[in-house]
């Protein structure tokens, strides 16, 4: 195992996940959903806590792994989570309830993000997490940057897409889209950004004020 792989394993193993998230992760894997890694989950919880987030949008509910992490960091926040898979959201709703999260803190919207996001208010949210159809990641991040308030953050798990983004020889559409996204965001004067290599990568984009 390379030093890099050892580092990735170490940061994942160092995270102690709450029982509710362990259960959600297990259900995700059983349903063939790729959840955020423990290390990425812990990082998004830190961002949520440090920003004092009160209103969060999640694009891609899954069965609730990333949502549970976000609400673990932002203990008073409300979460609006969008997913086209109603069955997955039903699992998520049960897991949120079992975790002791009040129903009025979670709003689950069943539908395609491309249809839902244009109807949401701009500059209104503290965090937007983008973890849905990777083929639409650029579109969803554009919506996310419209929705977050100045000073808000857009979070993009899987930003290194299975190690393919860092390899210029990998030219499939998804890897190319993530690569283009990283390049465009890094050169934009409207944001500051950073990529964490933990898990499958986490792109963090803060929308500047003014």
């Amino acid at each position: 195992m390379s030093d890099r792989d050892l580092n990735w394993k170490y940061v994942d193993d160092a995270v102690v996940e709450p029982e509710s998230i362990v259960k959600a992760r297990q259900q995700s894997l059983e349903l063939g959903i790729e959840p955020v890694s423990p290390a990425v989950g812990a990082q998004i919880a830190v961002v949520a806590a440090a920003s004092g987030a009160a209103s969060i949008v999640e694009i891609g509910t899954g069965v609730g792994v990333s949502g549970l992490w976000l609400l673990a960091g932002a203990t008073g926040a409300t979460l609006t989570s969008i997913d086209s898979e109603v069955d997955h959201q039903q699992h998520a709703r049960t897991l949120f309830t079992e975790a002791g999260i009040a129903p009025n803190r979670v709003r689950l919207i069943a539908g395609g993000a491309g249809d839902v996001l244009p109807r949401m208010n701009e500059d209104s949210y503290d965090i937007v997490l983008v973890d849905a159809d990777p083929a639409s990641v650029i579109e969803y991040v554009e919506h996310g940057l419209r929705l977050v308030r100045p000073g808000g953050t857009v979070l993009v798990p899987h930003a290194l897409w299975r190690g393919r983004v860092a390899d210029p020889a990998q030219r499939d559409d998804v890897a190319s889209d993530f690569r283009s996204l990283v390049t465009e965001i890094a050169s934009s004067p409207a944001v500051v950004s950073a990529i964490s290599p933990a898990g499958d990568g986490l792109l963090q984009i803060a929308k500047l004020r003014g």
Side-chain angles (χ1 to χ4, degrees):
M1 185 178 288
S2 69
D3 289 347
R4 183 176 298 173
D5 289 338
L6 282 171
N7 286 340
W8 281 338
K9 184 177 187 304
Y10 179 79
V11 297
D12 263 345
D13 291 347
V15 177
V16 178
E17 290 194 304
E19 182 62 31
S20 59
I21 297 179
V22 171
K23 184 174 181 179
R25 182 176 301 283
Q26 182 179 357
Q27 287 197 14
S28 293
L29 297 175
E30 290 172 355
L31 291 168
I33 302 167
E34 185 176 355
V36 297
S37 73
V40 169
Q43 287 187 30
I44 65 176
V46 168
V47 172
S51 64
S55 186
I56 301 171
V57 173
E58 178 184 46
I59 307 169
T61 309
V63 299
V65 174
S66 51
L68 286 166
W69 270 119
L70 288 164
L71 294 178
T75 55
T78 57
L79 172 70
T80 299
S81 190
I82 305 161
D83 204 299
S84 60
E85 296 289 342
V86 177
D87 288 346
H88 294 170
Q89 287 194 326
Q90 290 175 343
H91 285 289
R93 189 181 301 280
T94 298
L95 290 162
F96 285 131
T97 300
E98 291 178 355
I101 296 169
N104 63 357
R105 292 185 59 204
V106 179
R107 177 189 180 204
L108 300 179
I109 300 176
D115 298 322
V116 176
L117 293 170
R119 302 198 299 267
M120 300 181 76
N121 294 330
E122 63 182 34
D123 296 337
S124 298
Y125 300 91
D126 301 305
I127 294 174
V128 175
L129 183 135
V130 178
D131 189 13
D133 176 16
S136 301
V137 66
I138 292 176
E139 175 190 353
Y140 293 164
V141 169
E142 288 174 349
H143 278 296
L145 288 170
R146 180 182 64 82
L147 296 179
V148 291
R149 61 170 175 76
T153 307
V154 176
L155 300 171
V156 189
H158 306 294
L160 297 178
W161 194 245
R162 301 168 183 172
R164 301 176 70 84
V165 173
D167 181 358
Q170 304 296 330
R171 299 186 179 183
D172 58 278
D173 289 346
V174 172
S176 297
D177 283 351
F178 272 109
R179 205 174 290 128
S180 295
L181 172 65
V182 170
T183 300
E184 291 174 12
I185 288 297
S187 61
S188 172
V191 301
V192 291
S193 64
I195 304 174
S196 164
D200 197 25
L202 177 66
L203 175 60
Q204 303 162 76
I205 311 165
K207 182 175 178 178
L208 294 177
R209 301 176 188 274

